[in-house]
Amino acid sequence: MGFQDTPEEWQVTASVTPFTGNKTSVRTDDVVMPDGSVHSRDYQVHPGSVAVLALDADGGVLVLRQYRHPVRHKLWEIPAGLLDIPGENPLHAAQRELYEEAHVKAEDWRVLADVYTTPGGCDEAVRIFLARDLSEAEGERFEVSEEEADMEQARVPLDELVRGVLAGDLHNNCLVVGVLSLTAALAGDGVDALRPADAPWPARPFEA
């Protein structure tokens, strides 16, 4: 067993969905507490996401700069996107996002980390992949729109991104978790010891 998170579900006596959006919704559950009292908990219902830390042969990490309206910032991020199809294989979604956002493909894929982004207010689960052996994707570039039409791209040394995280200059959660996880892997057992790309993901079960 070891030191690990464990699944558990407290009794819900009532549940309503006061808002349903294009991709996510808001739910209110009445939850029975350990002392028997019942309290309402509001949270965002999210389909889940994938993110890709793409590392090139020179040790550069592919990053994108994108405007994020809720926080009123342009953030440096790693390629990421939603699991659009229930039960979708997260590796396939990650490969799609890397192609669409950066026009890049990768031959070697590993799982870096699985995280709940905001477990106190959202059920979003994200799988962060490490992608290596990069090359330009074939065919025409994916046509981007809306915020993505203004997106910038760069390749930045891993240690520079780590310094930016620790200095408080970089804030995107997938970038932060990704670069620190890769740094820990490189300092430990190495990337070959990371989980395979098709490792089970109980938070978002999928078929191979």
Side-chain angles (χ1 to χ4, degrees):
M1 290 290 291
F3 189 70
Q4 63 185 43
D5 298 332
T6 55
E8 182 167 320
E9 187 168 356
W10 292 0
Q11 181 184 358
V12 174
T13 59
S15 182
V16 295
T17 304
F19 170 79
T20 299
N22 185 32
K23 296 292 185 180
T24 67
S25 60
V26 173
R27 182 178 297 162
T28 299
D29 288 344
D30 292 340
V31 184
V32 180
M33 300 291 139
D35 64 359
S37 61
V38 178
H39 295 273
S40 295
R41 293 292 178 261
D42 305 319
Y43 60 100
Q44 183 184 19
V45 179
H46 194 285
S49 306
V50 292
V52 185
L53 194 152
L55 185 69
D56 66 23
D58 297 322
V61 177
L62 192 158
V63 291
L64 308 167
R65 190 169 183 243
Q66 184 173 350
Y67 176 66
R68 295 299 187 181
H69 186 70
V71 295
R72 308 307 200 268
H73 269 70
K74 271 192 170 181
L75 300 179
W76 284 106
E77 307 178 349
I78 56 177
L82 297 175
L83 291 169
D84 293 324
I85 305 168
E88 181 179 17
N89 187 313
L91 174 60
H92 298 165
Q95 292 169 332
R96 180 184 68 237
E97 292 301 331
L98 187 60
Y99 160 71
E100 291 182 357
E101 295 192 348
H103 200 66
V104 166
K105 64 179 182 178
E107 299 301 323
D108 186 86
W109 291 82
R110 311 284 173 130
V111 175
L112 262 181
D114 297 327
V115 296
Y116 292 116
T117 56
T118 319
C122 180
D123 71 353
E124 181 183 14
V126 179
R127 168 157 282 189
I128 303 174
F129 290 91
L130 171 66
R132 297 184 296 168
D133 296 339
L134 309 182
S135 61
E136 187 172 356
E138 295 91 357
E140 296 182 2
R141 295 188 68 94
F142 182 79
E143 186 175 346
V144 295
S145 61
E146 301 174 9
E147 288 91 343
E148 292 183 353
D150 187 50
M151 202 157 51
E152 305 169 48
Q153 184 178 142
R155 297 199 182 193
V156 182
L158 178 64
D159 57 357
E160 185 175 336
L161 294 175
V162 172
R163 285 195 295 270
V165 169
L166 298 180
D169 296 330
L170 299 171
H171 308 90
N172 175 264
N173 59 347
C174 291
L175 183 147
V176 170
V177 172
V179 300
L180 296 183
S181 294
L182 178 56
T183 300
L186 292 170
D189 296 330
V191 295
D192 289 338
L194 293 170
R195 287 173 291 159
D198 60 353
W201 189 18
R204 292 296 185 273
F206 63 92
E207 294 184 6

